[in-house]
Amino acid sequence: MKSILIYQNSYHARITTFPFGKVKVRASSFLICIFLLWSCSQTENKIVTLNFWAMGVEGEVVSKLIPDFEKEFPNIKIKVQQIPWTAAHEKLITAFASETLPDVFQLGNTWIPEFKALNAIAPLNNFINHSSVVSANKYFEGIWDTNVIDSIIYGIPWYVDTRVLFYRKDILESVGYKDPPKTWNELFEMSVKIRDKFKGQTKYAMLIPTNEWVPFIIFGIQNGSSLLKDNDEYADFSGKKFKDAFDFLIKFYRERLAPTDMQQVLNIYQAFAEGFFTFYITGPWNVTEMKKRLPISLQDSWMTAPLPSPDSNYPGYSLAGGSSLVLNKNSKNKIYAWKWIEYLSKNETQLQFYKLVSSLPAVKKVWEDSTFANDPYMRAFYIQLHKTKATPKIPEWEQIVFSKIQQYAEAVATNKMNSRQALNLLDEDANKILEKRRWILSKER
């Protein structure tokens, strides 16, 4: 085993400095080698059971990968517990409090800062430095970065997620465009023509749900906003870069290019099929859903594309989403747990996992397989995954976006306040959430 060999080498380096005669040193070395070989043999023969927690449908299907792993490592048994996403965070926090976290578990990559702050997950740099399977250059840069805090790696991307533009090719062609928009200006110009084409009908160019924070954060990131400022201690939503991006999206509501009443879109797939909207920013799960739910007659009428950019640097950034595999910092089985992580990170395992559950592979090499190369809907995701950016890596981030951003976006979209008022209030609310962070950091200075 690699780790034991490393230990042997370092220990041998130390014992050669003993001030004894050569005979005694050789005798000691011989006995130590016998002891280590015996220990190694005992370790190899020992059956270790690893507890592994995985969420949602991934937790259901990952068991199908275990037999081949246990065949390769007969002394390691994997015990999987599947947890619904809706209960996952609470269960993980409860397990941390009661010191019952599993050896290895799945984390949404935006949860990594929180579990790092709790000191619940182990740094992985040393494991990666000695791994022939896992290395940063095998992964999409933006996704990998979500697992790195202060140059320390806390998670290995298991599967990835990002958002791209879904659009109706036939409608776009009917207003004179063969290709999807590459810039914000093109997106707006195309949207105006689509609105005018359907004048008098209840149809829109783009669906920007007022109850979702995602489009506003994506466009803010694309425009160069850091979202937070001053060491992530204060909000910066009222800053020029975020405000300009926010105002650009709000213009779609003002110009009747996007609906403000989400009750009009009770079924996204039906609405997309009916041409109620032409553009929609969403994730990879909707490729499968569109294929299943849209009529056969429309299957050649829609496509995916990377996101447009505020400038000529196409594509624009998207979110770096997905799930990672992490080690419990207090696990006594880290060496064995790392073998499980390495196994799940192998090219062939990643491809097999995709075929089981359609979760996009985190390893770039897997995308060269014909499964992806021959799928025109996946091409946009592959391109986009090379241009993603992490959101602020602090524990409070999800609380800020889930509870606050969509609240003010909806207020502005429905003309209850203007964007300046909304973003100032958003900053105030976010700064209250960040108050504890400022206090903690002030104590550390």
Side-chain angles (χ1 to χ4, degrees):
M1 290 166 47
K2 190 177 291 180
S3 59
I4 290 176
L5 289 173
I6 292 165
Y7 176 74
Q8 281 179 298
N9 290 338
S10 61
Y11 195 80
H12 180 72
R14 283 195 291 125
I15 63 175
T16 54
T17 64
F18 282 7
F20 301 128
K22 288 183 178 178
V23 173
K24 286 186 178 179
V25 170
R26 285 171 182 164
S28 299
S29 298
F30 176 75
L31 291 172
I32 288 167
C33 285
I34 293 296
F35 171 75
L36 288 174
L37 286 170
W38 176 82
S39 299
C40 185
S41 172
Q42 293 300 303
T43 305
E44 292 289 354
N45 292 332
K46 179 183 174 186
I47 300 297
V48 174
T49 299
L50 292 178
N51 288 303
F52 174 52
W53 287 5
M55 288 69 175
V57 68
E58 287 82 10
E60 286 179 26
V61 303
V62 74
S63 297
K64 296 180 180 177
L65 304 176
I66 293 175
D68 284 347
F69 173 79
E70 292 183 344
K71 188 176 178 182
E72 186 174 344
F73 299 98
N75 63 323
I76 306 175
K77 303 299 176 190
I78 305 294
K79 185 178 178 182
V80 178
Q81 181 170 346
Q82 188 230 346
I83 303 170
W85 270 111
T86 51
H89 187 266
E90 184 178 351
K91 188 166 178 64
L92 286 168
I93 292 295
T94 302
F96 166 74
S98 59
E99 299 183 352
T100 55
L101 277 172
D103 299 290
V104 55
F105 51 104
Q106 173 188 353
L107 274 186
N109 56 11
T110 55
W111 293 359
I112 286 179
E114 180 181 6
F115 283 81
K116 182 267 179 183
L118 291 171
N119 206 22
I121 52 180
L124 302 177
N125 296 54
N126 285 339
F127 288 103
I128 295 166
N129 289 342
H130 296 97
S131 176
S132 61
V133 177
V134 177
S135 61
N137 63 348
K138 294 183 178 180
Y139 294 82
F140 298 101
E141 184 179 355
I143 305 288
W144 181 267
D145 183 56
T146 61
N147 296 273
V148 182
I149 300 174
D150 297 331
S151 301
I152 298 174
I153 303 159
Y154 289 95
I156 304 301
W158 187 17
Y159 62 85
V160 297
D161 172 24
T162 192
R163 307 296 171 92
V164 302
L165 189 69
F166 285 57
Y167 67 101
R168 283 283 298 270
K169 281 195 306 181
D170 54 343
I171 295 177
L172 204 54
E173 287 170 4
S174 73
V175 293
Y177 297 95
K178 285 184 65 177
D179 298 315
K182 289 184 169 56
T183 66
W184 287 9
N185 285 339
E186 285 183 3
L187 176 64
F188 188 78
E189 289 168 8
M190 292 177 186
S191 296
V192 169
K193 289 192 176 180
I194 292 167
R195 178 199 60 190
D196 293 345
K197 170 185 172 67
F198 294 115
K199 191 174 183 180
Q201 301 181 49
T202 310
K203 291 188 176 183
Y204 299 87
M206 188 163 178
L207 178 63
I208 311 172
T210 57
N211 53 1
E212 285 186 11
W213 56 268
V214 170
F216 298 94
I217 293 300
I218 287 177
F219 276 66
I221 289 174
Q222 286 189 351
N223 209 34
S225 171
S226 58
L227 308 175
L228 305 180
K229 62 184 179 180
D230 300 338
N231 195 30
D232 292 338
E233 294 180 39
Y234 292 92
D236 194 25
F237 299 111
S238 61
K240 182 177 183 340
K241 290 178 178 176
F242 189 84
K243 184 176 183 303
D244 286 350
F246 189 83
D247 284 342
F248 175 75
L249 287 181
I250 291 300
K251 194 162 61 169
F252 281 74
Y253 302 117
R254 296 283 184 267
E255 298 289 336
R256 299 182 64 80
L257 304 174
T260 56
D261 181 4
M262 292 303 103
Q263 294 299 315
Q264 291 178 287
V265 195
L266 297 178
N267 185 319
I268 285 175
Y269 311 104
Q270 182 180 350
F272 193 50
E274 293 173 350
F276 181 75
F277 59 87
T278 297
F279 299 121
Y280 180 40
I281 295 172
T282 186
W285 62 91
N286 267 330
V287 171
T288 305
E289 294 302 317
M290 294 293 186
K291 287 178 180 177
K292 280 196 309 188
R293 296 171 183 254
L294 265 56
I296 294 175
S297 59
L298 279 181
Q299 288 301 329
D300 291 331
S301 300
W302 67 280
M303 187 44 70
T304 57
L307 294 180
S309 169
D311 49 35
S312 59
N313 192 14
Y314 180 74
Y317 280 102
S318 190
L319 295 180
S323 272
S324 298
L325 300 164
V326 299
L327 290 183
N328 176 1
K329 190 169 187 177
N330 294 323
S331 170
K332 295 177 181 176
N333 300 313
K334 291 190 186 71
I335 293 172
Y336 305 98
W338 176 252
K339 288 187 180 299
W340 175 233
I341 289 178
E342 281 190 318
Y343 183 79
L344 293 175
S345 305
K346 288 182 174 179
N347 294 354
E348 55 271 27
T349 315
Q350 286 260 303
L351 182 59
Q352 188 181 357
F353 190 56
Y354 172 77
K355 289 179 177 176
L356 287 171
V357 71
S358 299
S359 294
L360 298 183
V363 178
K364 288 187 288 188
K365 184 75 176 175
V366 183
W367 286 78
E368 295 176 9
D369 186 86
S370 60
T371 305
F372 301 97
N374 296 335
D375 187 334
Y377 302 106
M378 286 292 115
R379 196 174 304 129
F381 286 94
Y382 181 67
I383 295 169
Q384 190 66 67
L385 282 163
H386 285 84
K387 194 90 178 276
T388 62
K389 191 177 282 189
T391 50
K393 290 180 272 188
I394 60 170
E396 299 86 353
W397 176 247
E398 285 204 347
Q399 186 180 356
I400 292 171
V401 291
F402 282 130
S403 66
K404 297 301 174 185
I405 289 181
Q406 59 197 47
Q407 170 189 340
Y408 289 109
E410 185 172 13
V412 178
T414 54
N415 263 326
K416 292 176 181 170
M417 63 177 69
N418 63 43
S419 63
R420 175 56 66 194
Q421 292 171 317
L423 296 179
N424 285 340
L425 289 171
L426 176 55
D427 273 358
E428 287 180 21
D429 287 352
N431 287 339
K432 287 177 186 171
I433 294 172
L434 294 167
E435 194 169 1
K436 187 176 180 181
R437 171 178 172 78
R438 291 195 294 276
W439 181 81
I440 292 172
L441 292 178
S442 70
K443 296 295 180 186
E444 294 175 353
R445 290 182 185 123

